[in-house]
């Protein structure tokens, strides 16, 4: 869409899942509900705004999954309201920009057996952050559930956490009045920084 924006008003692949899905619009992308592919890569190259709680899956119709990548920021429409669920199956989930830093999400759940790659910050307002798969830090990363003056919620890291380069990438967690739970080793394969 060049310098324009792209807004979707309905389900994408809801009846018959798509193959690959890619969108680029420097003016922003707005999604109200869900994106579904069957083993097709999903790539969103521009700032994403959630118009409603959204599920993005590359393993619809009993697919095994494929990579899901966000090259820019992700924000809610109203702080603490719109949440995001990512299911990539055997694929990876890559977040290159801040998530919820301008308008915090409701909650975030990510499942991607190929790894969850985080480069910056994730912020929710009283919404649980659940990362069900191995996390690979690509930069200094902050996970906060008390954004925009929220009181906090749980942060659940249900697998391992590692850096990309030993000692270079850091992880900060601010769960407010919530709990932070680590199920797997942190820095066991590639140590993280301070």
């Amino acid at each position: 869409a060049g310098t324009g924006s792209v807004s979707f008003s309905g389900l994408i692949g809801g009846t018959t899942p798509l193959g690959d899905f890619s969108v680029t619009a420097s003016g922003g992308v707005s999604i109200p509900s869900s994106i579904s592919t069957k083993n097709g890569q999903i790539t969103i190259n521009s700032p994403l705004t959630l118009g409603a709680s959204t599920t993005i899956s590359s393993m619809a119709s009993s697919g095994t999954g494929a990579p899901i990548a966000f090259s820019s920021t992700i924000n809610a429409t109203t702080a603490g309201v719109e949440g995001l669920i990512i299911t990539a199956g055997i694929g990876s989930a890559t977040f290159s920009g801040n998530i919820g830093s301008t308008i915090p999400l409701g909650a975030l759940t990510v499942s991607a057996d190929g790894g969850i790659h985080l480069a910056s910050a994730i912020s929710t307002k009283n919404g649980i952050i659940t990362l069900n798969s191995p996390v690979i830090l690509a930069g200094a990363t902050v996970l906060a559930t008390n954004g925009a003056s929220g009181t906090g919620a749980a942060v659940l890291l249900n697998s391992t956490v590692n850096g990309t380069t030993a000692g270079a990438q850091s992880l900060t967690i601010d769960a407010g009045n919530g709990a932070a739970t680590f199920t797997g080793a942190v820095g066991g394969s590639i140590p993280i920084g301070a």
Side-chain angles (χ1 to χ4, degrees), residues 62-73:
S62 301
T64 55
I68 298 175
F70 302 89
S71 299
S72 188
T73 57

Side-chain angles (χ1 to χ4, degrees), residues 49-114:
T49 300
L50 305 178
S53 289
T54 299
T55 298
I56 298 178
S57 174
S58 58
M59 52 182 299
S61 296
S62 301
T64 55
I68 298 175
F70 302 89
S71 299
S72 188
T73 57
I74 303 172
N75 284 287
T77 298
T78 304
V81 174
E82 294 84 19
L84 179 62
I85 297 172
I86 303 290
T87 351
I90 62 173
S92 58
T94 301
F95 302 89
S96 299
N98 290 327
I99 304 170
S101 290
T102 303
I103 303 177
L105 275 59
L108 175 70
T109 300
V110 184
S111 302
D113 292 346

Side-chain angles (χ1 to χ4, degrees), residues 124-140:
T124 70
K125 182 179 180 181
N126 306 332
I128 297 173
I129 296 173
T130 307
L131 305 179
N132 289 317
S133 310
V135 171
I136 300 95
L137 305 177

